[in-house]
Amino acid sequence: CPSGPMFGDVPAGWAPARMGQRQMKSPNPFSGGVDALSDADFALLVDAVETRRCRELVGAGTYDEAARKWRPRPRCPSCSYEGCASDGSTPAGHRAWSCGRCGRKFNSLTGTVFENAKRALWRWVVFIRLMCFNVQLDACAELCGISHQTAWEWRHRVMATVDGYQDRIVLGGKVWIDEMYVTDSDLKGDPGWRPKKGLSKNKICIAVAIDARKNVVAVRCGHGKPSAKRIKEALLPHIAEGSEIFHDMEKSHRSLVEAVRGIDRPCKADTRDPEYLEHMAMVNNLCSWVRRYLRGYVGMDLKYLQSYLNWYAYLFRVKRDDEKWPKVERVLRHLFMADASFRSSRKRDNPYTG
C-alpha cells in the first residue's frame, strides 16, 4: 500500500523522510505587504505576477514581446508587401510599420485576432490553456475574468485562425475512413418534427479519416447517409494517391478508393467480429473521440460545426506533438502568425450560442 496521509500511515503535515519531526512552514515575508495594499495596487500586483508567469510559460509576457518573437516583420495587410519599414510605436506601445508600396500604416497586431485587444496577454494564455482541454464557456469566462460574450468571441477568434487548417492535410500510407452522425438540433424547432430512427436526414454526417501517423481529418458531409459524390467531395482532397484504405464496405467508399487509385481493404461491419474490431479500431476510436469532444459544446450553433471540427483536428496534432513543442506556446505562436479575424454580428442584448 502506498504511504502518505491519504492512506492513514503518515499524519498530515509530517515530512515522510523525518518521521517524528514536525515540518514547520516558515512565514511568508510578503504576506504583510500584500495585505496592506489597496485594491488598485493589489490588482496591479496580480497583473505583474501573471505577466511574469505568462513570460515563463510561453516566452512572452506582453503583446509587443510576442509580436517581436513571432511576427518580427509583418507584411502589409492591404497589399501583402513584405518589405515594410519600422515606424516607431503606437500610443498603445505596439510597434508601428509603414508600407513602402501602398503607404499603409499599421501595427504589429493588425490583421491578427489580437488587433484592438484590450485585455492583458496573460488572460489570453489562460483562455488558450482552457480551450486546449475543451472547457465549458461559462468556466472559461469566470476563470479569465471576462464576460460570457467575450469568451464566446475569443473562442471563435481562435477557431478563425484554423479554418483553413484541414485544407492542407493529406493522409497517406494506411488510411482508415468512416462516418459518424450527430443530430441536427436546428430541425427540432420545425413544425411537425419527430425524431426518426436510423440514418435519417435529421442527422448530420461527418466524414472522418485517420492514417498510421495519426493525422486526422473530420469534414461535415451533409445530412443523412452520404452518397459516393459527397464522400469524394469530403475526403478525396485529403488522401494521397495509392494509399491503402480500410473501410466498412459502404458502397460510397469504393468510389473513393477508385478515385485515389488506392489499395482496397474492406472490412464487413460486425461488432461481434474480432477481426473487424481489430482492423477498424483506429477510425472507430476516432469517431468516439470526436463524439465525446462535440458533447462538450452543448447548444452549439451548427453553422459553426466545421469550425469546431477544424479546431479538433488542429488540437489533435498539437497534443500529439506536445513533447516536442508545448501546446499553449504552439497555439499562441499560431495565433500571432495567422492572418485571421472574427467579429460577431450578434447584438449584445440578444442571446448567443456556438
Side-chain angles (χ1 to χ4, degrees):
C1 178
S3 61
M6 68 180 294
F7 292 96
D9 57 348
V10 179
W14 288 70
R18 290 182 157 185
M19 301 295 292
Q21 290 188 18
R22 190 77 174 185
Q23 186 178 12
M24 302 297 293
K25 290 184 177 180
S26 58
N28 190 326
F30 302 103
S31 296
V34 171
D35 291 341
L37 293 175
S38 64
D39 290 346
D41 289 342
F42 180 72
L44 292 175
L45 176 62
V46 169
D47 187 70
V49 170
E50 292 297 340
T51 297
R52 174 175 172 173
R53 194 196 309 272
C54 175
R55 187 176 292 114
E56 292 175 350
L57 178 66
V58 299
T62 65
Y63 292 107
D64 193 50
E65 290 176 10
R68 288 178 181 271
K69 181 177 181 179
W70 294 311
R71 202 177 174 88
R73 293 192 65 84
R75 61 185 180 182
C76 176
S78 297
C79 66
S80 299
Y81 180 59
E82 296 183 353
C84 299
S86 180
D87 190 19
S89 300
T90 67
H94 305 315
R95 194 174 182 183
W97 297 84
S98 178
C99 178
R101 178 186 291 174
C102 69
R104 169 79 181 270
K105 294 185 180 296
F106 59 98
N107 65 59
S108 53
L109 302 182
T110 303
T112 72
V113 295
F114 300 113
E115 185 175 1
N116 301 320
K118 296 179 177 61
R119 301 281 186 169
L121 180 64
W122 65 262
R123 293 186 187 272
W124 268 98
V125 171
V126 173
F127 186 81
I128 291 170
R129 295 183 72 179
L130 296 173
M131 274 199 68
C132 287
F133 293 98
N134 305 316
V135 175
Q136 294 280 343
L137 208 58
D138 287 340
C140 290
E142 182 171 344
L143 293 172
C144 294
I146 56 180
S147 68
H148 188 283
Q149 180 166 358
T150 299
W152 186 89
E153 291 272 355
W154 284 14
R155 174 193 283 179
H156 285 275
R157 287 189 191 184
V158 172
M159 289 182 176
T161 67
V162 296
D163 269 350
Y165 172 73
Q166 292 198 77
D167 297 341
R168 303 187 295 271
I169 298 178
V170 178
L171 313 182
K174 292 184 176 180
V175 180
W176 290 262
I177 65 173
D178 203 356
E179 301 83 35
M180 57 171 290
Y181 299 87
V182 294
T183 301
D184 188 345
S185 57
D186 290 341
L187 296 179
K188 291 184 179 180
D190 293 345
W193 184 91
R194 293 291 183 275
K196 298 179 181 179
K197 296 181 180 180
L199 303 181
S200 69
K201 292 187 179 296
N202 291 332
K203 293 184 178 293
I204 293 177
C205 174
I206 300 173
V208 297
I210 184 171
D211 65 11
R213 294 168 295 176
K214 292 190 177 179
N215 296 309
V216 305
V217 168
V219 182
R220 183 170 179 167
C221 191
H223 286 76
K225 194 170 183 178
S227 62
K229 179 181 178 181
R230 282 162 51 194
I231 285 293
K232 285 194 291 185
E233 288 176 349
L235 296 180
L236 183 58
H238 302 290
I239 300 179
E241 186 174 331
S243 297
E244 188 176 359
I245 300 179
F246 295 81
H247 60 94
D248 58 5
M249 299 181 68
E250 283 287 341
K251 292 181 180 180
S252 57
H253 295 166
R254 295 176 186 172
S255 62
L256 177 64
V257 176
E258 294 173 358
V260 300
R261 300 177 183 176
I263 302 172
D264 193 9
R265 291 288 185 263
C267 302
K268 185 177 181 180
D270 185 356
T271 56
R272 296 169 296 180
D273 183 359
E275 184 176 353
Y276 164 77
L277 295 175
E278 179 182 356
H279 282 83
M280 299 296 289
M282 285 278 283
V283 72
N284 287 340
N285 288 340
L286 176 60
C287 290
S288 298
W289 297 333
V290 174
R291 186 171 289 107
R292 184 165 61 245
Y293 161 77
L294 292 176
R295 284 174 184 165
Y297 299 104
V298 177
M300 173 206 316
D301 189 334
L302 290 174
K303 71 180 180 181
Y304 298 117
L305 176 59
Q306 188 57 56
S307 293
Y308 282 85
L309 296 175
N310 294 336
W311 172 247
Y312 178 84
Y314 172 78
L315 199 58
F316 193 95
R317 184 168 185 174
V318 167
K319 290 184 176 181
R320 185 196 66 183
D321 299 334
D322 190 32
E323 292 183 0
K324 300 178 183 177
W325 196 336
K327 56 180 174 292
V328 178
E329 181 181 351
R330 181 172 179 175
V331 174
L332 187 65
R333 172 182 177 271
H334 173 80
L335 297 185
F336 270 93
M337 296 183 67
D339 293 326
S341 62
F342 176 86
R343 197 69 182 170
S344 173
S345 59
R346 301 173 185 269
K347 295 181 179 179
R348 289 187 176 272
D349 56 349
N350 285 344
Y352 44 89
T353 59

